[in-house]
Amino acid sequence: MSKPDELLVDVAAKVESGQSNQMSLTVITDGAVITGRLAPESVWRQRVTEVLTDSARLGEFADTFSKPPAQDGPPTHLHFHVARIIQGTVGIPETGGMYRVSIEDVSAWTVGDVSYSDH
């Protein structure tokens, strides 16, 4: 989107202000369908930091994500936690991933998770 969807920015702001990770959303960005729960950026960063800290190969990157998020202005990104990229009838990764998506790049969205088959 050349101009971010104000309603989507409002949804992201509610997630940020409530510190909740229960809002399910599905977005289309650059042809990819991403579905999952939104998390406040601080919660998302904390989880990414934990995963990287526990990694023998990627631990050095943990500090990058441990910095507090900037608090000026409306949210510019969606932070997905326990999310999947939908490819045909399959959701990847199976265990769910953590994705950061620029609101500006979202071309369509809907509230809720998109169903997929693990088979």
XYZ file of all heavy atoms in Angstrom:
902
model
N 0.846 -1.173 0.000
C 0.000 0.000 0.000
C 0.892 1.236 0.000
O 1.844 1.290 0.767
C -0.874 0.021 1.247
C -1.888 -1.077 1.320
S -2.855 -0.925 2.839
C -4.055 -2.183 2.484
N 0.566 2.197 -0.853
C 1.371 3.411 -0.861
C 1.155 4.209 0.422
O 2.054 4.855 0.925
C 1.045 4.256 -2.082
O -0.334 4.555 -2.113
N -0.063 4.159 0.948
C -0.368 4.787 2.232
C -0.905 3.686 3.146
O -1.856 2.996 2.794
C -1.418 5.877 2.051
C -1.746 6.590 3.336
C -2.741 7.683 3.127
C -3.023 8.312 4.484
N -4.309 8.962 4.506
N -0.306 3.509 4.310
C -0.763 2.427 5.203
C -2.243 2.538 5.541
O -2.767 3.630 5.738
C 0.097 2.606 6.452
C 1.285 3.373 6.009
C 0.808 4.248 4.879
N -2.914 1.405 5.590
C -4.332 1.325 5.942
C -4.497 1.801 7.387
O -3.939 1.212 8.320
C -4.778 -0.128 5.786
C -6.238 -0.349 6.064
O -6.775 0.268 7.010
O -6.846 -1.163 5.363
N -5.272 2.865 7.572
C -5.450 3.448 8.906
C -6.079 2.463 9.884
O -5.738 2.454 11.072
C -6.290 4.717 8.828
C -5.569 5.862 8.156
C -6.429 7.112 8.039
O -7.394 7.262 8.810
O -6.106 7.937 7.166
N -6.991 1.634 9.407
C -7.625 0.647 10.272
C -6.601 -0.387 10.746
O -6.584 -0.761 11.925
C -8.783 -0.032 9.539
C -9.661 -0.973 10.349
C -10.226 -0.290 11.596
C -10.802 -1.498 9.472
N -5.721 -0.802 9.847
C -4.674 -1.758 10.225
C -3.687 -1.116 11.208
O -3.247 -1.764 12.162
C -3.949 -2.267 8.972
C -2.938 -3.380 9.183
C -3.562 -4.584 9.891
C -2.347 -3.798 7.839
N -3.371 0.143 11.001
C -2.501 0.863 11.943
C -3.176 0.922 13.316
O -2.528 0.714 14.344
C -2.167 2.284 11.427
C -1.446 3.104 12.496
C -1.316 2.200 10.163
N -4.497 1.153 13.344
C -5.235 1.188 14.611
C -5.208 -0.174 15.306
O -5.070 -0.245 16.530
C -6.686 1.628 14.386
C -6.816 3.108 14.076
O -5.829 3.852 14.254
O -7.908 3.518 13.641
N -5.363 -1.254 14.537
C -5.284 -2.610 15.114
C -3.912 -2.814 15.743
O -3.788 -3.277 16.882
C -5.577 -3.696 14.052
C -5.216 -5.079 14.567
C -7.041 -3.646 13.624
N -2.860 -2.449 15.000
C -1.492 -2.599 15.518
C -1.294 -1.761 16.778
O -0.654 -2.209 17.741
C -0.478 -2.211 14.442
N -1.840 -0.559 16.803
C -1.715 0.314 17.978
C -2.424 -0.291 19.195
O -1.917 -0.209 20.319
C -2.275 1.701 17.668
N -3.584 -0.919 18.961
C -4.301 -1.580 20.069
C -3.469 -2.730 20.626
O -3.405 -2.931 21.840
C -5.648 -2.108 19.605
C -6.642 -1.051 19.273
C -7.473 -0.714 20.472
C -8.585 0.205 20.031
N -8.817 1.275 20.950
N -2.855 -3.507 19.749
C -2.003 -4.612 20.204
C -0.848 -4.057 21.026
O -0.528 -4.564 22.095
C -1.484 -5.449 19.009
C -0.413 -6.430 19.452
C -2.634 -6.190 18.341
N -0.231 -2.990 20.529
C 0.899 -2.376 21.241
C 0.475 -1.833 22.599
O 1.153 -2.027 23.591
C 1.523 -1.257 20.411
C 2.278 -1.724 19.196
C 3.493 -2.571 19.515
O 4.130 -2.382 20.580
O 3.814 -3.437 18.689
N -0.660 -1.180 22.678
C -1.074 -0.550 23.930
C -1.562 -1.559 24.959
O -1.401 -1.349 26.156
C -2.171 0.484 23.673
O -3.365 -0.156 23.257
N -2.141 -2.655 24.498
C -2.673 -3.647 25.414
C -1.687 -4.717 25.823
O -1.955 -5.512 26.703
N -0.521 -4.729 25.170
C 0.494 -5.748 25.460
C -0.103 -7.158 25.377
O 0.217 -8.027 26.175
C 1.138 -5.497 26.825
C 1.862 -4.170 26.914
C 3.048 -4.079 25.983
O 3.980 -4.860 26.063
N 3.028 -3.141 25.060
N -0.996 -7.370 24.405
C -1.665 -8.652 24.216
C -1.133 -9.344 22.974
O -0.730 -8.694 22.015
C -3.172 -8.433 24.066
O -3.805 -9.628 23.662
N -1.158 -10.682 23.004
C -0.753 -11.435 21.816
C -1.881 -12.363 21.356
O -1.630 -13.420 20.818
C 0.533 -12.223 22.077
C 0.348 -13.303 23.117
O -0.702 -13.410 23.748
N 1.363 -14.112 23.309
N -3.119 -11.944 21.561
C -4.261 -12.793 21.229
C -4.964 -12.398 19.935
O -5.871 -13.091 19.498
C -5.265 -12.783 22.378
C -4.695 -13.346 23.667
C -4.145 -14.757 23.490
O -4.836 -15.638 23.016
N -2.878 -14.947 23.829
N -4.583 -11.309 19.293
C -5.240 -10.862 18.067
C -4.713 -11.654 16.879
O -3.535 -11.580 16.535
C -4.985 -9.366 17.851
C -5.608 -8.811 16.609
S -7.395 -8.994 16.680
C -7.876 -8.109 15.248
N -5.583 -12.436 16.261
C -5.201 -13.205 15.075
C -5.464 -12.371 13.830
O -6.478 -11.688 13.723
C -6.015 -14.494 14.998
O -5.679 -15.335 16.073
N -4.534 -12.458 12.888
C -4.626 -11.673 11.666
C -3.994 -12.451 10.524
O -3.059 -13.234 10.737
C -3.874 -10.355 11.870
C -4.199 -9.194 10.958
C -5.585 -8.644 11.268
C -3.171 -8.087 11.136
N -4.511 -12.235 9.331
C -3.921 -12.793 8.121
C -3.667 -11.632 7.175
O -4.552 -10.796 6.970
C -4.866 -13.818 7.469
O -5.088 -14.888 8.398
C -4.274 -14.384 6.192
N -2.454 -11.569 6.633
C -2.102 -10.493 5.710
C -1.528 -11.070 4.426
O -0.999 -12.181 4.404
C -1.074 -9.507 6.324
C -1.638 -8.848 7.575
C 0.259 -10.167 6.610
N -1.637 -10.281 3.372
C -0.961 -10.594 2.112
C 0.043 -9.483 1.889
O -0.300 -8.299 1.919
C -1.946 -10.678 0.929
C -2.964 -11.793 1.188
C -1.192 -10.910 -0.384
C -4.078 -11.867 0.176
N 1.297 -9.889 1.694
C 2.358 -8.926 1.462
C 3.296 -9.486 0.402
O 3.802 -10.593 0.549
C 3.106 -8.588 2.768
O 4.156 -7.681 2.480
C 3.635 -9.795 3.484
N 3.471 -8.757 -0.661
C 4.326 -9.189 -1.776
C 4.012 -10.612 -2.224
O 4.917 -11.402 -2.502
C 5.805 -9.059 -1.402
C 6.220 -7.605 -1.215
O 5.678 -6.731 -1.925
O 7.076 -7.338 -0.359
N 2.742 -10.979 -2.244
C 2.323 -12.300 -2.713
C 2.361 -13.393 -1.671
O 1.892 -14.487 -1.906
N 2.912 -13.121 -0.507
C 2.957 -14.118 0.568
C 1.745 -13.941 1.476
O 1.327 -12.816 1.763
C 4.229 -13.972 1.393
N 1.187 -15.061 1.924
C 0.086 -15.027 2.888
C 0.669 -15.430 4.238
O 1.222 -16.520 4.385
C -1.047 -15.990 2.480
C -2.153 -15.991 3.534
C -1.605 -15.612 1.112
N 0.566 -14.542 5.207
C 1.071 -14.801 6.555
C -0.111 -14.751 7.501
O -0.890 -13.796 7.479
C 2.140 -13.770 6.966
C 3.318 -13.826 5.986
C 2.611 -14.020 8.402
C 4.346 -12.745 6.198
N -0.238 -15.785 8.318
C -1.374 -15.873 9.231
C -0.867 -16.240 10.625
O 0.048 -17.043 10.764
C -2.417 -16.897 8.716
O -3.591 -16.813 9.507
C -1.891 -18.306 8.706
N -1.431 -15.617 11.631
C -1.015 -15.915 13.004
C -1.478 -14.849 13.967
O -2.354 -14.043 13.662
N -0.863 -14.851 15.132
C -1.228 -13.895 16.178
C -0.240 -12.737 16.201
O 0.966 -12.929 16.052
C -1.238 -14.576 17.539
C -2.395 -15.520 17.705
C -2.557 -15.967 19.133
N -1.296 -16.173 19.831
C -0.987 -17.266 20.498
N -1.834 -18.260 20.574
N 0.161 -17.373 21.117
N -0.807 -11.560 16.437
C 0.037 -10.378 16.586
C 0.529 -10.290 18.022
O -0.170 -10.676 18.954
C -0.745 -9.116 16.249
C -1.192 -8.954 14.808
C -1.985 -7.653 14.658
C -0.006 -8.949 13.870
N 1.722 -9.755 18.172
C 2.291 -9.521 19.498
C 2.804 -8.088 19.546
O 3.193 -7.531 18.516
C 3.439 -10.492 19.771
N 2.816 -7.485 20.724
C 3.474 -6.188 20.853
C 4.946 -6.335 20.471
O 5.555 -7.388 20.694
C 3.329 -5.855 22.338
C 2.189 -6.692 22.816
C 2.246 -7.938 21.992
N 5.501 -5.287 19.900
C 6.895 -5.366 19.453
C 7.839 -5.758 20.585
O 8.759 -6.552 20.386
C 7.342 -4.041 18.835
C 8.758 -4.114 18.295
C 9.208 -2.850 17.596
O 8.425 -1.875 17.509
O 10.365 -2.827 17.154
N 7.625 -5.238 21.785
C 8.533 -5.552 22.899
C 8.491 -7.044 23.245
O 9.524 -7.650 23.538
C 8.193 -4.712 24.129
O 6.865 -4.963 24.548
N 7.311 -7.639 23.200
C 7.165 -9.079 23.470
C 7.829 -9.879 22.357
O 8.534 -10.855 22.600
C 5.670 -9.457 23.609
C 5.472 -10.962 23.703
C 5.064 -8.751 24.813
N 7.605 -9.461 21.114
C 8.191 -10.127 19.949
C 9.717 -10.077 20.028
O 10.391 -11.082 19.848
C 7.680 -9.434 18.686
C 8.143 -10.029 17.404
C 7.575 -11.075 16.731
C 9.253 -9.604 16.619
N 8.277 -11.323 15.576
C 9.307 -10.425 15.479
C 10.209 -8.599 16.775
C 10.283 -10.276 14.491
C 11.178 -8.452 15.788
C 11.203 -9.287 14.676
N 10.263 -8.886 20.326
C 11.720 -8.743 20.438
C 12.290 -9.633 21.545
O 13.346 -10.233 21.388
C 12.092 -7.280 20.723
C 12.017 -6.390 19.522
C 12.341 -4.942 19.928
N 12.404 -4.070 18.802
C 13.536 -3.667 18.214
N 14.690 -4.078 18.671
N 13.502 -2.865 17.190
N 11.581 -9.691 22.667
C 12.037 -10.518 23.781
C 12.121 -11.985 23.366
O 13.090 -12.671 23.664
C 11.102 -10.364 24.970
C 11.479 -11.217 26.160
C 10.484 -11.070 27.303
O 9.601 -10.226 27.295
N 10.633 -11.917 28.298
N 11.097 -12.453 22.667
C 11.071 -13.863 22.242
C 12.177 -14.144 21.220
O 12.839 -15.172 21.290
C 9.692 -14.211 21.679
C 9.574 -15.644 21.267
C 9.666 -16.590 22.469
N 9.659 -17.950 21.994
C 10.583 -18.853 22.264
N 11.599 -18.568 23.055
N 10.499 -20.063 21.770
N 12.378 -13.241 20.271
C 13.450 -13.413 19.290
C 14.804 -13.431 20.006
O 15.657 -14.266 19.712
C 13.409 -12.316 18.203
C 14.641 -12.379 17.309
C 12.140 -12.434 17.360
N 14.970 -12.538 20.973
C 16.219 -12.504 21.748
C 16.459 -13.835 22.450
O 17.582 -14.356 22.442
C 16.179 -11.354 22.779
O 16.038 -10.118 22.081
C 17.438 -11.322 23.629
N 15.412 -14.403 23.057
C 15.544 -15.695 23.745
C 15.972 -16.802 22.781
O 16.861 -17.602 23.096
C 14.217 -16.083 24.400
C 13.841 -15.207 25.579
C 12.394 -15.404 26.021
O 11.675 -16.245 25.435
O 11.979 -14.706 26.961
N 15.347 -16.841 21.627
C 15.669 -17.876 20.640
C 17.118 -17.726 20.177
O 17.861 -18.714 20.092
C 14.697 -17.822 19.438
C 15.178 -18.706 18.295
C 13.294 -18.226 19.874
N 17.534 -16.498 19.886
C 18.898 -16.273 19.418
C 19.929 -16.547 20.514
O 20.995 -17.100 20.249
C 19.052 -14.850 18.890
C 18.281 -14.540 17.610
C 18.402 -13.057 17.276
C 18.733 -15.404 16.458
N 19.617 -16.167 21.735
C 20.533 -16.412 22.857
C 20.775 -17.904 23.043
O 21.896 -18.321 23.347
C 19.961 -15.794 24.153
O 19.838 -14.383 23.969
C 20.857 -16.077 25.342
N 19.733 -18.706 22.834
C 19.849 -20.154 22.993
C 20.544 -20.841 21.830
O 20.842 -22.031 21.894
C 18.462 -20.788 23.176
C 17.844 -20.403 24.513
O 18.578 -19.925 25.403
O 16.617 -20.580 24.657
N 20.825 -20.108 20.764
C 21.448 -20.690 19.584
C 22.975 -20.598 19.656
O 23.525 -19.521 19.896
C 20.959 -19.961 18.325
O 21.707 -20.351 17.205
N 23.623 -21.708 19.412
C 25.083 -21.731 19.422
C 25.663 -20.903 18.267
O 26.710 -20.287 18.395
C 25.588 -23.169 19.330
N 24.960 -20.862 17.149
C 25.470 -20.166 15.961
C 24.993 -18.726 15.841
O 25.635 -17.913 15.186
C 25.055 -20.915 14.696
C 25.691 -22.265 14.557
C 25.358 -22.907 13.227
N 24.121 -22.398 12.662
C 23.191 -23.124 12.092
N 23.347 -24.419 11.998
N 22.104 -22.585 11.600
N 23.847 -18.396 16.432
C 23.258 -17.076 16.201
C 23.221 -16.185 17.444
O 22.673 -15.086 17.401
C 21.837 -17.240 15.648
C 21.741 -18.022 14.339
C 20.284 -18.251 13.969
C 22.470 -17.291 13.233
N 23.795 -16.651 18.546
C 23.758 -15.918 19.804
C 24.268 -14.495 19.721
O 23.760 -13.605 20.414
N 25.231 -14.246 18.859
C 25.808 -12.895 18.751
C 24.804 -11.853 18.245
O 25.003 -10.660 18.411
C 27.036 -12.913 17.852
C 26.716 -13.235 16.398
C 27.961 -13.432 15.559
O 28.538 -12.420 15.121
O 28.342 -14.598 15.364
N 23.702 -12.298 17.628
C 22.695 -11.378 17.117
C 21.631 -11.016 18.154
O 20.804 -10.130 17.921
C 22.009 -11.964 15.881
C 22.939 -12.102 14.711
C 23.533 -13.318 14.423
C 23.238 -11.009 13.916
C 24.397 -13.446 13.353
C 24.102 -11.119 12.844
C 24.689 -12.348 12.561
N 21.637 -11.684 19.286
C 20.602 -11.476 20.306
C 20.543 -10.024 20.776
O 19.455 -9.481 20.975
C 20.823 -12.417 21.484
N 21.694 -9.387 20.943
C 21.718 -7.997 21.420
C 20.986 -7.048 20.486
O 20.415 -6.053 20.926
C 23.158 -7.510 21.588
C 23.841 -8.148 22.781
O 23.141 -8.759 23.614
O 25.077 -8.033 22.869
N 20.993 -7.350 19.194
C 20.316 -6.503 18.213
C 18.825 -6.393 18.526
O 18.226 -5.327 18.375
C 20.497 -7.076 16.794
O 21.889 -7.183 16.524
C 19.836 -6.210 15.745
N 18.225 -7.486 18.977
C 16.792 -7.515 19.237
C 16.436 -7.151 20.673
O 15.270 -6.937 20.977
C 16.227 -8.899 18.894
C 16.268 -9.175 17.420
C 17.366 -9.773 16.849
C 15.208 -8.817 16.616
C 17.417 -10.024 15.484
C 15.236 -9.053 15.250
C 16.350 -9.655 14.680
N 17.421 -7.085 21.555
C 17.129 -6.805 22.962
C 16.942 -5.321 23.240
O 16.504 -4.949 24.324
C 18.233 -7.374 23.857
O 19.457 -6.714 23.605
N 17.224 -4.475 22.253
C 17.028 -3.033 22.427
C 15.528 -2.724 22.490
O 14.738 -3.342 21.781
C 17.657 -2.277 21.262
C 19.147 -2.477 21.155
C 19.697 -1.872 19.890
C 21.157 -2.237 19.740
N 21.679 -1.951 18.415
N 15.140 -1.759 23.312
C 13.701 -1.413 23.377
C 13.245 -0.796 22.066
O 14.002 -0.086 21.405
C 13.619 -0.420 24.529
C 15.000 0.065 24.764
C 15.950 -0.964 24.222
N 11.992 -1.061 21.684
C 11.478 -0.484 20.441
C 11.290 1.027 20.562
O 11.070 1.549 21.648
C 10.131 -1.182 20.252
C 9.751 -1.688 21.593
C 11.024 -1.916 22.346
N 11.381 1.709 19.433
C 11.125 3.154 19.408
C 9.652 3.388 19.717
O 8.787 2.646 19.264
C 11.476 3.715 18.036
N 9.363 4.403 20.494
C 7.987 4.656 20.931
C 7.369 5.888 20.284
O 6.340 6.360 20.736
C 7.960 4.815 22.460
C 8.416 3.607 23.215
C 7.481 2.418 23.040
O 6.281 2.571 22.859
N 8.032 1.224 23.069
N 7.966 6.424 19.240
C 7.441 7.650 18.651
C 6.542 7.359 17.445
O 6.906 6.624 16.552
C 8.597 8.573 18.241
C 9.593 7.882 17.327
O 9.706 6.646 17.398
O 10.248 8.580 16.530
N 5.344 7.922 17.473
C 4.417 7.781 16.364
C 3.669 6.460 16.352
O 3.870 5.597 17.196
N 2.793 6.304 15.358
C 2.000 5.079 15.250
C 2.871 3.900 14.808
O 3.945 4.102 14.233
C 0.956 5.426 14.186
C 1.567 6.529 13.392
C 2.455 7.287 14.329
N 2.420 2.681 15.056
C 3.198 1.501 14.637
C 3.414 1.491 13.125
O 2.541 1.899 12.358
C 2.327 0.325 15.059
C 1.358 0.865 16.055
C 1.179 2.304 15.729
N 4.577 1.014 12.719
C 4.899 0.907 11.291
C 5.007 -0.544 10.851
O 5.079 -0.824 9.658
C 6.230 1.617 10.977
O 7.261 1.043 11.801
C 6.126 3.111 11.236
N 5.041 -1.473 11.830
C 5.200 -2.895 11.532
C 4.221 -3.737 12.352
O 3.822 -3.343 13.446
C 6.628 -3.357 11.850
C 7.641 -2.795 10.918
N 8.118 -1.512 11.029
C 8.267 -3.342 9.847
C 8.989 -1.288 10.069
N 9.095 -2.377 9.344
N 3.891 -4.877 11.781
C 3.127 -5.903 12.502
C 4.135 -6.935 12.972
O 5.065 -7.292 12.235
C 2.114 -6.569 11.571
C 1.079 -5.647 10.939
C 0.300 -6.402 9.864
C 0.144 -5.093 11.991
N 3.958 -7.431 14.180
C 4.867 -8.426 14.746
C 4.077 -9.698 15.002
O 3.256 -9.752 15.908
C 5.526 -7.886 16.012
C 6.414 -6.721 15.707
N 5.929 -5.432 15.658
C 7.717 -6.674 15.376
C 6.922 -4.625 15.317
N 8.019 -5.356 15.145
N 4.318 -10.685 14.144
C 3.598 -11.954 14.237
C 4.363 -12.925 15.113
O 5.577 -13.059 15.004
C 3.418 -12.578 12.847
C 2.356 -11.928 12.029
C 2.655 -10.870 11.196
C 1.045 -12.385 12.089
C 1.674 -10.269 10.434
C 0.055 -11.788 11.337
C 0.373 -10.729 10.501
N 3.624 -13.598 15.962
C 4.155 -14.611 16.871
C 3.307 -15.858 16.641
O 2.095 -15.751 16.472
C 4.011 -14.090 18.299
C 4.384 -15.064 19.353
N 5.679 -15.418 19.598
C 3.630 -15.749 20.233
C 5.699 -16.279 20.596
N 4.474 -16.503 20.997
N 3.905 -17.015 16.577
C 3.192 -18.266 16.291
C 2.454 -18.105 14.954
O 1.249 -18.294 14.860
C 2.212 -18.651 17.421
C 1.698 -20.067 17.205
C 2.843 -18.533 18.792
N 3.192 -17.724 13.935
C 2.606 -17.446 12.623
C 3.165 -18.406 11.583
O 4.200 -19.036 11.779
C 2.911 -16.012 12.218
N 2.437 -18.495 10.486
C 2.856 -19.362 9.384
C 2.708 -18.638 8.060
O 1.812 -17.813 7.899
C 2.019 -20.632 9.370
C 2.301 -21.510 10.569
C 1.382 -22.723 10.587
N 1.726 -23.599 11.690
C 1.271 -23.457 12.920
N 0.455 -22.488 13.210
N 1.631 -24.306 13.871
N 3.575 -18.983 7.131
C 3.417 -18.571 5.746
C 2.625 -19.683 5.082
O 2.994 -20.855 5.181
C 4.778 -18.378 5.053
C 5.554 -17.261 5.746
C 4.574 -18.087 3.568
C 6.970 -17.095 5.245
N 1.528 -19.322 4.430
C 0.684 -20.325 3.791
C 1.183 -20.556 2.374
O 1.298 -19.618 1.578
C -0.794 -19.868 3.760
C -1.296 -19.569 5.164
C -1.662 -20.911 3.072
C -1.256 -20.737 6.112
N 1.496 -21.803 2.075
C 1.941 -22.211 0.746
C 1.031 -23.339 0.304
O 1.144 -24.456 0.800
C 3.408 -22.677 0.793
C 3.947 -23.119 -0.538
C 4.091 -21.972 -1.510
O 4.388 -20.850 -1.122
N 3.866 -22.242 -2.765
N 0.094 -23.058 -0.568
C -0.885 -24.067 -0.965
C -1.734 -24.438 0.231
O -2.343 -23.584 0.855
N -1.745 -25.701 0.593
C -2.531 -26.152 1.742
C -1.659 -26.386 2.975
O -2.108 -26.975 3.945
C -3.276 -27.453 1.403
O -2.320 -28.444 1.035
C -4.266 -27.244 0.276
N -0.424 -25.924 2.929
C 0.523 -26.177 4.017
C 0.918 -24.867 4.679
O 1.122 -23.854 4.015
C 1.787 -26.893 3.477
C 2.801 -27.112 4.579
C 1.417 -28.211 2.821
N 1.042 -24.882 6.005
C 1.545 -23.744 6.752
C 2.972 -24.014 7.178
O 3.271 -25.055 7.741
N 3.899 -23.098 6.855
C 5.299 -23.281 7.229
C 5.767 -22.091 8.059
O 5.346 -20.965 7.802
C 6.201 -23.474 5.985
C 5.946 -22.348 4.972
C 6.003 -24.803 5.350
C 6.821 -22.377 3.762
N 6.609 -22.292 9.044
C 7.018 -23.580 9.600
C 5.878 -24.206 10.408
O 4.984 -23.501 10.879
C 8.195 -23.233 10.505
C 7.933 -21.829 10.938
C 7.213 -21.169 9.785
N 5.941 -25.499 10.549
C 4.874 -26.223 11.249
C 4.686 -25.741 12.685
O 3.581 -25.724 13.209
C 5.151 -27.726 11.247
C 4.961 -28.361 9.887
C 5.186 -29.856 9.911
O 5.153 -30.454 11.000
O 5.381 -30.427 8.833
N 5.767 -25.378 13.335
C 5.699 -24.957 14.733
C 5.331 -23.487 14.891
O 5.125 -23.015 15.998
C 7.050 -25.194 15.429
O 8.055 -24.479 14.706
C 7.380 -26.663 15.488
N 5.264 -22.766 13.810
C 4.969 -21.333 13.871
C 6.250 -20.535 13.960
O 7.226 -20.969 14.557
N 6.257 -19.390 13.329
C 7.446 -18.550 13.306
C 7.138 -17.152 13.795
O 6.004 -16.836 14.153
N 8.162 -16.324 13.804
C 8.032 -14.940 14.230
C 8.401 -14.059 13.047
O 9.521 -14.119 12.553
C 8.940 -14.678 15.422
C 8.517 -15.485 16.637
S 9.667 -15.359 18.003
C 11.003 -16.397 17.425
N 7.443 -13.265 12.595
C 7.646 -12.440 11.421
C 7.377 -10.984 11.737
O 6.468 -10.658 12.489
C 6.704 -12.872 10.280
C 6.873 -14.312 9.895
C 5.967 -15.265 10.327
C 7.945 -14.720 9.119
C 6.118 -16.601 9.980
C 8.099 -16.048 8.765
C 7.184 -16.989 9.201
O 7.344 -18.303 8.862
N 8.146 -10.116 11.108
C 7.953 -8.666 11.203
C 7.590 -8.196 9.795
O 8.342 -8.405 8.853
C 9.240 -8.010 11.686
C 9.194 -6.501 11.753
C 10.528 -5.987 12.297
N 10.761 -4.601 12.010
C 10.707 -3.637 12.922
N 10.405 -3.923 14.166
N 10.960 -2.398 12.574
N 6.419 -7.586 9.667
C 5.909 -7.175 8.368
C 5.629 -5.678 8.393
O 4.932 -5.194 9.294
C 4.607 -7.941 8.025
C 4.018 -7.456 6.717
C 4.854 -9.442 7.994
N 6.145 -4.969 7.410
C 5.866 -3.545 7.308
C 4.390 -3.340 6.950
O 3.892 -3.930 5.991
C 6.748 -2.915 6.228
O 6.367 -1.577 6.014
N 3.699 -2.527 7.725
C 2.291 -2.246 7.452
C 2.142 -1.641 6.057
O 1.183 -1.922 5.355
C 1.694 -1.319 8.537
C 1.653 -2.051 9.886
C 0.315 -0.818 8.139
C 1.240 -1.184 11.060
N 3.121 -0.876 5.649
C 3.114 -0.241 4.337
C 3.071 -1.271 3.200
O 2.569 -0.988 2.122
C 4.377 0.618 4.215
C 4.276 1.763 3.280
C 5.509 2.649 3.414
O 6.583 2.261 2.914
O 5.376 3.726 4.024
N 3.614 -2.466 3.444
C 3.690 -3.502 2.406
C 2.488 -4.437 2.377
O 2.427 -5.331 1.529
C 4.958 -4.335 2.591
C 6.221 -3.527 2.329
O 6.133 -2.515 1.599
O 7.276 -3.896 2.863
N 1.541 -4.264 3.291
C 0.366 -5.135 3.336
C -0.631 -4.677 2.273
O -1.072 -3.537 2.272
C -0.293 -5.121 4.737
C -1.592 -5.896 4.737
C 0.676 -5.685 5.771
N -0.963 -5.599 1.351
C -1.898 -5.247 0.281
C -3.327 -5.672 0.597
O -4.273 -5.142 0.025
C -1.455 -5.858 -1.048
O -1.366 -7.257 -0.936
N -3.506 -6.642 1.491
C -4.839 -7.080 1.922
C -4.693 -7.751 3.275
O -3.628 -8.273 3.609
C -5.435 -8.056 0.907
N -5.772 -7.747 4.052
C -5.722 -8.381 5.377
C -7.125 -8.717 5.833
O -8.109 -8.191 5.334
C -5.014 -7.479 6.383
C -5.675 -6.151 6.641
C -5.562 -5.023 5.887
C -6.542 -5.814 7.724
N -6.308 -4.007 6.445
C -6.917 -4.469 7.566
C -7.029 -6.530 8.812
C -7.753 -3.815 8.468
C -7.869 -5.877 9.707
C -8.219 -4.538 9.533
N -7.184 -9.642 6.799
C -8.448 -10.013 7.413
C -8.183 -10.426 8.854
O -7.095 -10.888 9.193
C -9.153 -11.154 6.643
O -10.460 -11.352 7.197
C -8.387 -12.451 6.711
N -9.177 -10.242 9.691
C -9.069 -10.660 11.079
C -9.232 -12.181 11.118
O -10.094 -12.743 10.438
C -10.148 -9.975 11.943
C -10.178 -10.550 13.347
C -9.910 -8.473 11.971
N -8.407 -12.851 11.896
C -8.480 -14.292 12.063
C -7.389 -15.028 11.323
O -6.714 -14.479 10.452
N -7.205 -16.298 11.716
C -6.229 -17.175 11.066
C -6.872 -17.823 9.852
O -8.046 -18.168 9.875
C -5.803 -18.321 12.007
C -4.915 -17.837 13.136
O -4.581 -16.646 13.161
O -4.562 -18.651 13.982
N -6.090 -18.004 8.804
C -6.551 -18.741 7.639
C -6.344 -20.226 7.925
O -5.296 -20.628 8.444
C -5.766 -18.340 6.382
C -6.047 -19.276 5.232
C -6.101 -16.915 6.001
N -7.330 -21.021 7.608
C -7.197 -22.480 7.809
C -6.252 -23.061 6.766
O -6.164 -22.577 5.643
C -8.558 -23.162 7.668
O -9.413 -22.720 8.678
N -5.548 -24.084 7.153
C -4.675 -24.823 6.262
C -4.633 -26.244 6.739
O -5.081 -26.580 7.829
C -3.278 -24.208 6.211
C -2.603 -24.220 7.557
C -1.802 -25.279 7.924
C -2.806 -23.182 8.453
C -1.217 -25.308 9.174
C -2.220 -23.209 9.707
C -1.429 -24.273 10.044
O -0.852 -24.311 11.270
N -4.065 -27.102 5.934
C -3.993 -28.523 6.291
C -2.564 -28.913 6.551
O -1.663 -28.533 5.790
C -4.554 -29.357 5.137
O -4.319 -30.722 5.372
N -2.324 -29.647 7.627
C -0.974 -30.146 7.917
C -0.678 -31.440 7.194
O 0.370 -32.035 7.378
C -0.806 -30.381 9.428
C -0.621 -29.076 10.189
O -0.160 -28.094 9.572
O -0.935 -29.039 11.384
N -1.591 -31.926 6.388
C -1.435 -33.231 5.739
C -0.956 -33.080 4.319
O -1.297 -32.249 3.600
C -2.744 -33.999 5.735
C -3.296 -34.124 7.144
N -2.717 -34.892 8.117
C -4.366 -33.535 7.731
C -3.399 -34.793 9.241
N -4.407 -33.960 9.027
